[in-house]
Amino acid sequence: MIPNSKYYGTPEEWKTSIYSIDSVQNPHKVGFYAGYSDWIRDLISSGLIQPGEPIDKSVSYCGLGIESPLSTIRYYEFDSVNGEAVLLSQEQREVTNFAFFENHYPDMFVSFSGFSDVYINNPPYTRYFWSPNELTKEQVAAGQWGDHGKYSVFTAINLRRFVLLIHVVVTSSNTDVNAPTDIAILKDYIDNKNDIRTRYPYIIGAYAIPYSSFDEQLYNRSSFYERVQNLYNYPNFFTGILDEMNIPNELNLGSLYCYTNWVDTNKQPLIPLWGTVYRTAVFMSRDYGDNRIAMILGDGDIIIGGRERDTVAIRAVSLANDETYEKIRRACACYGLIFCEDEAIARNGSFDDENMYMGVLEDGIGHGKYTRGKNNQSNSQWFWGDTSESDYDPSKPPSPQYQDSTDLASLPSMLYPNHVYIDTDALTSLYVLIQEVGTIDPKKIDESLLFYGQEPLACIIGARRIYLKPPEKSSGIHNIMLGMYESNVKSTLLLNEWYRYELSAKPIERTFGNFLDFEPYTTLSLYIPYCGSINLPTNIFMGHTCKITINANVRMGIIEALVFVDNILFTSVIGNCFSDLTVTGFASATYNATLKDLSVQRGLNALDTVNAIAGHATGATISGKLKNKPGVVGHGMMGITSLAKGTATDYYLRFQKDHTAPQVMQIQKGISEISAISSLTPFISITSPLYDENYNAELYGKTTGFKCYEMGNLHDFHGYTECDDAILDNISCTVTEKNMILEALRSGVILD
Amino acid sequence: MRQELYTESSYNKIAPEKGAIFVNSQERCDIMVLRLFDCKADMRRVNKLPYMTEKHATDIYNAQYNLDIITPTFIVNYVADFPLHCNYAYCPDLNRYYFITSMTEDPGTSITLHCEVDVRMSFLNDNDFPVVVTRNEFMDKNDNRDESLPIRDNENSIKVMKYANEIFAKKDGSPQQYDIIETI
């Protein structure tokens, strides 16, 4: 939608900046305002805007969906006394509205425009903050930089000339916040150009730089920075969040509407994608010897450290791998723009180049999906001239709809008051935890109430292996608590208990186009891992689509699969996809034997892990310190001893079957015939008859005709035709002849 | 009014047939004509005209005698080059088409044609009326069960459609998994 002209002017008033990216903007209107700008004063004095008034969101050409890291922000404060990172608050929005801004430095000040740097004497610290409230003269006088720059909103981005190039900020350590960092274009990083990934294997942030050209027909795009670097008062490019933010009260900034500001030492203009917000003036309270606050976009493990001035105290860190790269691409896709990860493509690639991506907008909202290459042409943005052609209306909240992965926050969660930790390294945390518990002085256990008067391991009230995709949303790294005992074992807290996954609808197309498409000739069977097989009635599903929605309790390992025919719920089945890891005494020999058998079949190394847990490999004398020999037994795995040997797939199939209790559970006869299919993939099996090898449909039609039941006049039909009955009232012939006619029709006639 | 070719006396020479149309065999009557065709059409075909080649037209001797309109026997004038291969006839006066089931030749005298009425060509080609169709050559896309359709007894095809997902398995096919540790 075209931005509200009251604040942003009419399209005719929008001007093209000659030195910025080639976009359309109105330099005489501002999205939000600073206290000292003349333009702001004019706006305030004219009554057009009020101090503290939120920014008009109509300039947001699309919404960033819940999947965008800008919709999930965590605020951490570094507690310099204890050396900990404390989660102050977090926010999650279904949709985040945003805008791109350009600021123009005032001539005499080089500042983070829009911010005042206020130096407070007691305690001594310098704060950068953005405030829509006009600064007092005293505040200005106390500060080194007292002016606020002028902001121009990019009211429309010309999509034919605008490409985002993804960059990553990388570091060499996932534990040391003071480890050196570097910046790389994503493709260069993935390709390990100049060994950058070898040297900096962790990613702490990602952002995009816009590349643009003046001419739609010519490429040779250049970055924003390249365009402005030779200018004295070169502008900066910002991305602003236009929605109310859950800013920690510790900042004591009151209600305000703020934006993120990424500025690196090279003054590269940045569009934030994910990770640590780097030197953000608003949220980085740069306290000398006091607490500091960092804003983390999206997920990522938190590492902390450093107490010195100018030292970044908090970072979000993720190991660089395909999953992380994909996460960053999806974050960029939420903006609904053209983007890439290769500089050469950013400069000269066509918009449907194989290495060019485009974010998909669904009802104007980016959920992280994207197209690539020629498929970019299937997006509505392909046909836009500029972003003001978007239909997205920020004033209308999105209607609830299924997404690929979303939190079912409306369902009751059982996460509290228990601690629920999630560990994606199989058995590692549990093993280490048990080892650590084994080193605790028994006297300490008996005399204290650390473990609420019980065995330490009794504080572990649940341990299970969940056979699902690890939940995406989790908190930062925490030490596992056993009662009041804080272990040294780090893990991640599970934040949300329910997830919903959508599997795309599969059309079930008819093969024959006749009765053979239906039972008893053709049968349909739907297999869902851990739930079993479901017979799908052909008279309901044939010619329609079958869609599956999985509601997963990621804590308990219970899934409910909803099966839809088109968009109508047909049935639901429940399955268990967990394996209890009961911490107890056990018959290790039996367990090891069965697990070895299984692991050999599956080529797993699970046995080694189990042996280590039980202390067989390391010889740890855990049992000497606790009453029972600790260990881990797979509850359902004991049943494997009775299984016949078979292929790895069969083993796994039967293992799942044995320890699940689905409500609809009949493995279809004949499924062993398709054992090549992984049992971890939902699938529909269609069993159909085959025509006789000599069958010729054309000949059959001419000689026998196909069974039907139609009514009409004789000459409405053609070809070989048999009729069961006819009305011969108007035919002049003898009775005998009429009978002959009926007999001829029954035995078959050939019509033109 | 057809040409009068025969006198009453000559008619009396021929034995009367059953199923006469003309009641009074003594009366002078119009001569009936029989058109003969070579028809290559399937006998079940309704409109045989495109497949008919007319070969001869001749008078019927015994037209005035009892003729069975369903299975008549026509006696026609003998000619040397009589098209003995004709298998189809049309009698305009009876307004019916006939299959010639057999011929008997009396050289120099007459040829006897044994016929049977073709109700399809005679009545179905030019008339249209309501019917209930139970089989048809072109209606193969309908869901009525046809037990005569030949399908193999002991052989089926199985088609599998997989849902692409990473909920249960990773891209390499290994199972997705993670551990949950719950503590108090």
Side-chain angles (χ1 to χ4, degrees), chain A residues 401-416:
Chain A
Q401 57 182 328
Y402 291 118
Q403 299 180 16
D404 281 342
S405 174
T406 189
D407 298 335
L408 302 181
S410 59
L411 295 177
S413 171
M414 298 298 291
L415 290 180
Y416 300 98

Side-chain angles (χ1 to χ4, degrees), chain A residues 417-593:
Chain A
N418 305 332
H419 304 288
V420 182
Y421 302 97
I422 175 171
D423 182 9
T424 55
D425 292 326
L427 296 176
T428 298
S429 292
L430 189 60
Y431 162 58
V432 175
L433 185 65
I434 292 172
Q435 291 283 15
E436 179 177 328
V437 167
T439 63
I440 299 173
D441 184 354
K443 192 179 292 184
K444 185 176 181 182
I445 298 171
D446 294 334
E447 292 177 352
S448 74
L449 292 177
L450 273 179
F451 301 103
Y452 301 135
Q454 57 188 347
E455 290 291 333
L457 289 182
C459 291
I460 301 176
I461 60 174
R464 61 190 75 90
R465 172 76 49 83
I466 310 291
Y467 296 99
L468 288 174
K469 177 181 169 183
E472 292 180 5
K473 294 183 172 56
S474 60
S475 76
I477 297 177
H478 300 262
N479 292 335
I480 295 180
M481 300 293 297
L482 294 177
M484 293 183 289
Y485 172 78
E486 184 175 354
S487 71
N488 294 314
V489 180
K490 296 192 183 300
S491 189
T492 306
L493 272 174
L494 186 68
L495 282 183
N496 294 290
E497 193 168 358
W498 287 92
Y499 279 77
R500 172 173 289 163
Y501 302 100
E502 293 278 337
L503 298 178
S504 59
K506 285 284 183 193
I508 302 176
E509 296 172 346
R510 300 182 64 163
T511 304
F512 302 96
N514 59 24
F515 68 101
L516 293 176
D517 287 322
F518 300 94
E519 286 152 339
Y521 305 99
T522 293
T523 57
L524 300 176
S525 175
L526 171 65
Y527 174 79
I528 301 174
Y530 311 105
C531 297
S533 289
I534 305 168
N535 285 329
L536 304 181
T538 52
N539 60 335
I540 294 176
F541 281 86
M542 190 58 72
H544 297 274
T545 61
C546 180
K547 188 178 75 172
I548 306 173
T549 296
I550 305 281
N551 292 331
N553 185 310
V554 298
R555 178 176 74 95
M556 298 304 299
I558 299 172
I559 57 174
E560 178 192 30
L562 304 176
V563 182
F564 293 84
V565 54
D566 291 338
N567 289 317
I568 302 171
L569 179 64
F570 170 70
T571 189
S572 67
V573 290
I574 296 177
N576 301 328
C577 54
F578 69 92
S579 177
D580 271 325
L581 304 173
T582 309
V583 180
T584 182
F586 72 106
S588 61
T590 305
Y591 172 67
N592 286 341

Side-chain angles (χ1 to χ4, degrees), chain A residues 156-182:
Chain A
I157 300 291
N158 188 321
L159 291 178
R160 313 310 299 173
R161 303 185 268 221
F162 195 82
V163 176
L164 301 183
L165 179 62
I166 298 178
H167 288 64
V168 287
V169 182
V170 295
T171 185
S172 60
S173 169
N174 65 341
T175 55
D176 180 8
V177 292
N178 296 311
T181 64
D182 202 347

Side-chain angles (χ1 to χ4, degrees), chain A residues 427 465 481 483 510 554 737, chain B residues 96 143 178-179 182-184:
Chain A
L427 296 176
R465 172 76 49 83
M481 300 293 297
R510 300 182 64 163
V554 298
E737 286 171 322
Chain B
R96 280 164 171 75
D143 296 329
Y178 59 92
D179 291 338
E182 278 190 74
T183 67
I184 55 172

